[in-house]
Amino acid sequence: MAVSVEKMLLAARGHAKRGEIAQAEALYREVLGRFPGNKRAKAGLEALEQASKARPAAGPPRALVQQLMGLMQTGRNRELVDQANRALRIHPDTILLLEFRAAGQGALGDHAGAAGTYRRLIALRPDHADTHGNLGNELMELGEHEQAIAEFERVLALRPGDPVALNNEGNALLALGRHTEARKCFEAAVEATSSDVNILNNLGNLMRSQGDFAEARARLEKGLSIDPSHVFALNNLGNILLAEGDMVGAQVRFEAALAADPRYAEAWWNLSRLHRFAPDDPLLEQLEAQVAAQGQSAHDQMLLEFALAKALHDVGSTDRAFALWRSANASRKAELGYGIAQDRKLFSQLRRRFDTPHPPIPETEADRAAPVPIFLLGLPRSGTTLVEQIVTQHSQVAPGDEIATLDREMSALDWSDPEALTREAGRIRAAYYETLAGLADGEPFVTDKMPLNFRWIGAIRALFPRALFVHVHRDPRATLWSIYRNFFSSAGNGYAHDLDDLVAYHGLYRDLMAHWATQPGTIVDCDYEALTEDPEARSRALIEALGLPWEDACLRPQDNARTVATTSNTQVRKPIYRGSSQAWEKYAPHLEAAFAKLD
C-alpha cells in the first residue's frame, strides 16, 4: 500500500530536523514527482536549500577519504567509483567525492561518465582551471576535439600561458588536422616551460611530420638531454634518422626505446623494418614474448603482430608470418571501421562528377609564378619513391615527398555537390601553392608522391593546369602483397587490410585511371618492372617526358640525400635492383584465391 503524502511530508520534516538532508530531499522530491504542485514539498526543498547555504556542508569522514585515496592509488577503480557513488548519496555535491569518482571513471575508460562528472564539478565551481582541463582531456578521449579546445581555452583564460593547456590544445588541433595552429600551441608551451620533455617531443614530432627535420631533431635532442630514456622522443628521433638515411643511428634509438620500455609496440614495428632477424636472434625471442604477453591494447597488439610477422618472414617461417599478417590486418581494418562500399561510392561520385573534363579554373598571376607540381601517383608500394629519387636528382626538381595538403582538402569535399570544387578552388589552390613554395627551395618543379592523388586527377587538372603527372605501376600481385604486409599509420588506406578489399580496390583504381586516360591531358606512364630492367633508358625517357633536359645524376637515385619519411625509407638508399616483384611467390598458397580475382 502506497504511503500517504501526509506521512511522507512528516517523515521528510523529521529527517530535516535530524540533519538527514539527503533523506529529506529524496522524500520531498518523491512527493513532487507524484504531485508537482504540492506547496509544502516545494517549501520544504527551499528550506533545505537555504539551510545548506547558511551553514558549511559536512564533509565525508576522514576515514572514508583515506579509503578512497587508497583505492585510487592501488588502481582499484571499479571499487573507487562504487564507493564514491555511495558516499555521494549521503554527501551530495561534495567536490572531493566527485573528483574521486571522475578519476575512477576516466581510469576505467568510462570517458562519457567522467566528462559528466567534471561538468557537474564545473557547475559547482565554474572558474576552477584544472577541472576544465580534465574535462578537455575526457572530451579528447571521446573524439570531441572542438569541445575539448573550448575547455583548454577556458583554462588559458583563467591561467594565461599555462603550458599543459597549450600542449593539450595542440594535441586537439592536431587531431583535427590543424597543424599550423597546433605548432603555435606547442611552441608557446615550450616557451612557457622549456624543460617539459613531453611538450618538446610533441613539437619535435609535429615538425618531423611537416618535413622540418633539422628543427625537429633539435627539439627531440633537447628533450633527451633532460630525460635520456624518454621512449617517445627516442622513437621519434629514430624516425628522423631513418628518414635521413642513418640506419645505424635509427636502430640504436629504437633499441634504446625498447630497453626503456620493452612493451613499446611502435618501436618494435619500427625496429622490425630495419633489423634482419636470425633464428637465434635474442630480439626475436623478446618480440615473441611481447606478442604472447597479456594486457596490451588492441592497437599495440596489432603493431606487435606486424613486427613479428616481418621477423618470422626473415627466418623463413612463412606460414606463421602470414597468419600474423592476417590477424594484424584484421585488427587494423576493425580499428578503422573500413568497408569497401565507402570507396565504391567515392569512385562512382568521381566518375559522375568528371564524366566530362572540368574547365580549367583560371590561375592568377601569382599562381603562375608558383612552382609546377609533378604528381607521382598510383597505388602505394608501386615504386613511386624510387621514381621520386630519380626525378629529384635533377637540379630543377625539389622533393616534396607525400604532401598531405591537397589530399586532405580533396577528401573533405562533397563530390555529390557539383559546385563544391569551384566554390573552394581559390582556398585549396592557395594552400597548396603555399606548401609547394615552402618545399621548392627556389626550384621551378616540386614532386608530390602522395600515391592516392590518382583519385583527384580530374580536379587537379582544373585547379593546376600546369601540373605534370607520372603514373607509376607494377605487377598488381607484387603491389598488393607489399601493401598487405606493411602497417600504414594514416587512416586513408583502409582498403589495405583485407586481401579481397585490396583486389576490389585495385579494380576501382584501374578503372578510374582508364577513365582519366580518355580525357585531354598527358599522364606519363612508368612501368616499375621495366624501369628496374633497363634503368638508364627508362630514366632518360621519363625525364624527357617531363620536358626536362637530361642530367646524369638521375642515374644515381641511391645518392639522393633527401629525407624520406614514408614506408620505403628503408630501401631508397640502395641502387636500383630487380626481383622485388617476385617476393609474393613465397606466399602463393595463401594468396592464390584472392589474386585469382584480379582481372
Side-chain angles (χ1 to χ4, degrees):
M1 182 175 177
V3 178
S4 71
V5 170
E6 187 64 30
K7 287 183 178 180
M8 291 173 68
L9 289 169
L10 285 171
R13 287 179 62 188
H15 283 305
K17 285 181 180 180
R18 293 190 296 273
E20 298 165 354
I21 306 302
Q23 294 90 326
E25 181 180 352
L27 285 169
Y28 283 134
R29 291 194 184 283
E30 186 175 346
V31 171
L32 289 172
R34 293 162 59 183
F35 302 98
N38 189 287
K39 294 180 180 180
R40 291 167 66 191
K42 287 182 178 180
L45 277 178
E46 186 176 346
L48 290 177
E49 184 177 351
Q50 293 300 322
S52 67
K53 290 179 179 179
R55 65 177 184 273
R62 180 184 296 273
L64 174 61
V65 173
Q66 291 175 338
Q67 180 187 18
L68 293 170
M69 182 67 72
L71 292 172
M72 185 172 71
Q73 290 175 339
T74 56
R76 295 158 65 186
N77 293 297
R78 173 54 59 198
E79 293 175 68
L80 174 64
V81 172
D82 290 344
Q83 290 274 37
N85 280 333
R86 282 195 288 271
L88 281 164
R89 287 196 285 271
I90 301 169
H91 307 281
D93 287 343
T94 301
I95 285 173
L96 184 58
L97 295 177
L98 289 168
E99 288 177 335
F100 277 124
R101 184 174 76 178
Q105 288 170 317
L108 289 169
D110 179 11
H111 301 297
T117 302
Y118 284 125
R119 287 192 174 99
R120 188 170 169 185
L121 280 162
I122 287 170
L124 294 170
R125 49 178 188 186
D127 292 333
H128 192 264
D130 286 342
T131 306
H132 285 284
N134 289 334
L135 174 56
N137 291 335
E138 296 300 332
L139 292 170
M140 285 278 287
E141 294 288 346
L142 292 167
E144 298 174 12
H145 299 109
E146 291 284 5
Q147 293 182 47
I149 289 169
E151 294 302 321
F152 298 137
E153 283 290 324
R154 182 64 179 151
V155 177
L156 291 167
L158 294 164
R159 282 201 305 247
D162 182 275
V164 174
L166 286 165
N167 181 62
N168 290 340
E169 184 170 349
N171 285 326
L173 289 163
L174 265 187
L176 292 170
R178 292 156 62 179
H179 296 87
T180 301
E181 296 169 78
R183 180 163 173 169
K184 289 179 180 177
C185 282
F186 291 142
E187 287 173 337
V190 168
E191 186 175 347
T193 175
S194 59
S195 60
D196 189 312
V197 184
N198 291 317
I199 299 173
L200 287 164
N201 173 68
N202 286 342
L203 177 56
N205 198 36
L206 175 55
M207 289 173 164
R208 178 183 70 86
S209 73
Q210 293 177 319
D212 196 350
F213 288 91
E215 289 293 323
R217 185 170 181 168
R219 299 305 187 283
L220 293 170
E221 288 176 341
K222 181 175 182 180
L224 288 168
S225 71
I226 299 166
D227 180 3
S229 62
H230 191 279
V231 293
F232 301 121
L234 285 166
N235 183 65
N236 290 328
L237 182 56
N239 281 325
I240 289 175
L241 296 172
L242 180 58
E244 293 175 338
D246 182 0
M247 307 300 179
V248 174
Q251 181 158 338
V252 167
R253 281 10 178 245
F254 296 141
E255 289 180 353
L258 291 170
D261 182 0
R263 302 165 299 171
Y264 188 17
E266 186 175 334
W268 273 116
W269 163 243
N270 287 330
L271 178 62
S272 74
R273 296 167 54 225
L274 279 176
H275 185 68
R276 180 79 177 181
F277 291 84
D280 58 349
D281 196 327
L283 284 173
L284 177 57
E285 184 179 349
Q286 293 170 34
L287 180 52
E288 289 262 25
Q290 290 304 318
V291 171
Q294 301 294 317
Q296 57 258 30
S297 69
H299 181 82
D300 283 353
Q301 180 69 20
M302 176 258 304
L303 282 174
L304 290 168
E305 288 178 354
F306 268 116
L308 182 56
K310 191 272 180 183
L312 293 171
H313 169 79
D314 285 349
V315 300
S317 298
T318 54
D319 289 343
R320 281 195 66 206
F322 185 82
L324 282 162
W325 271 316
R326 182 168 52 198
S327 173
N329 275 295
S331 297
R332 181 60 168 160
K333 180 178 177 178
E335 181 179 65
L336 295 174
Y338 177 81
I340 191 67
Q342 65 196 62
D343 277 317
R344 292 189 194 280
K345 178 181 177 181
L346 172 63
F347 280 63
S348 177
Q349 288 177 333
L350 291 170
R351 289 284 296 267
R352 288 197 300 271
R353 179 66 187 83
F354 296 99
D355 182 50
T356 58
H358 192 293
I361 300 170
E363 292 188 299
T364 66
E365 186 174 342
D367 291 336
R368 288 189 290 274
V372 175
I374 301 175
F375 290 96
L376 310 175
L377 36 76
L379 288 180
R381 312 298 297 161
S382 61
T384 53
T385 300
L386 172 60
V387 172
E388 187 173 41
Q389 288 287 95
I390 294 169
V391 172
T392 57
Q393 279 288 79
H394 198 283
S395 62
Q396 296 183 38
V397 185
D401 207 339
E402 294 186 359
I403 301 174
T405 308
L406 185 61
D407 184 66
R408 183 172 60 246
E409 295 286 355
M410 294 294 181
S411 297
L413 287 181
D414 178 3
W415 292 104
S416 66
D417 179 355
E419 301 302 321
L421 178 63
T422 303
R423 187 170 57 249
E424 301 294 334
R427 182 183 58 79
I428 293 173
R429 185 154 56 193
Y432 189 68
Y433 274 145
E434 181 181 1
T435 302
L436 286 192
L439 295 167
D441 197 23
E443 304 302 341
F445 299 90
V446 180
T447 54
D448 182 344
K449 66 166 284 302
M450 183 68 76
L452 298 189
N453 278 335
F454 78 83
R455 297 171 297 175
W456 321 125
I457 287 177
I460 292 170
R461 282 170 165 165
L463 286 170
F464 308 101
R466 297 174 297 131
L468 302 171
F469 300 91
V470 179
H471 175 210
V472 187
H473 56 90
R474 70 193 293 201
D475 182 332
R477 296 166 299 180
T479 301
L480 301 190
W481 172 236
S482 186
I483 292 173
Y484 188 70
R485 61 193 183 94
N486 274 284
F487 168 72
F488 295 89
S489 58
S490 104
N493 294 293
Y495 62 89
H497 306 294
D498 179 282
L499 288 170
D500 288 333
D501 288 345
L502 274 163
V503 170
Y505 193 87
H506 184 273
L508 295 172
Y509 144 76
R510 178 206 57 211
D511 292 347
L512 190 59
M513 287 304 303
H515 176 70
W516 300 135
T518 66
Q519 298 187 349
T522 299
I523 300 176
V524 178
D525 184 82
C526 184
D527 184 311
Y528 174 82
E529 279 86 14
L531 176 63
T532 59
E533 289 290 335
D534 191 353
E536 180 168 357
R538 293 290 177 165
S539 296
R540 285 182 178 274
L542 173 61
I543 298 301
E544 181 181 358
L546 292 172
L548 297 168
W550 175 252
E551 293 180 0
D552 286 342
C554 297
L555 291 177
R556 299 185 297 277
Q558 70 275 14
D559 295 340
N560 197 322
R562 74 185 181 94
T563 55
V564 180
T566 58
T567 305
S568 301
N569 51 17
T570 59
Q571 301 165 323
V572 296
R573 312 300 171 185
K574 302 175 183 178
I576 296 175
Y577 61 95
R578 292 173 287 178
S580 64
S581 290
Q582 284 71 52
W584 70 274
E585 293 175 357
K586 290 183 179 179
Y587 295 86
H590 301 287
L591 303 173
E592 285 173 344
F595 284 0
K597 301 170 189 174
L598 287 166
D599 295 336

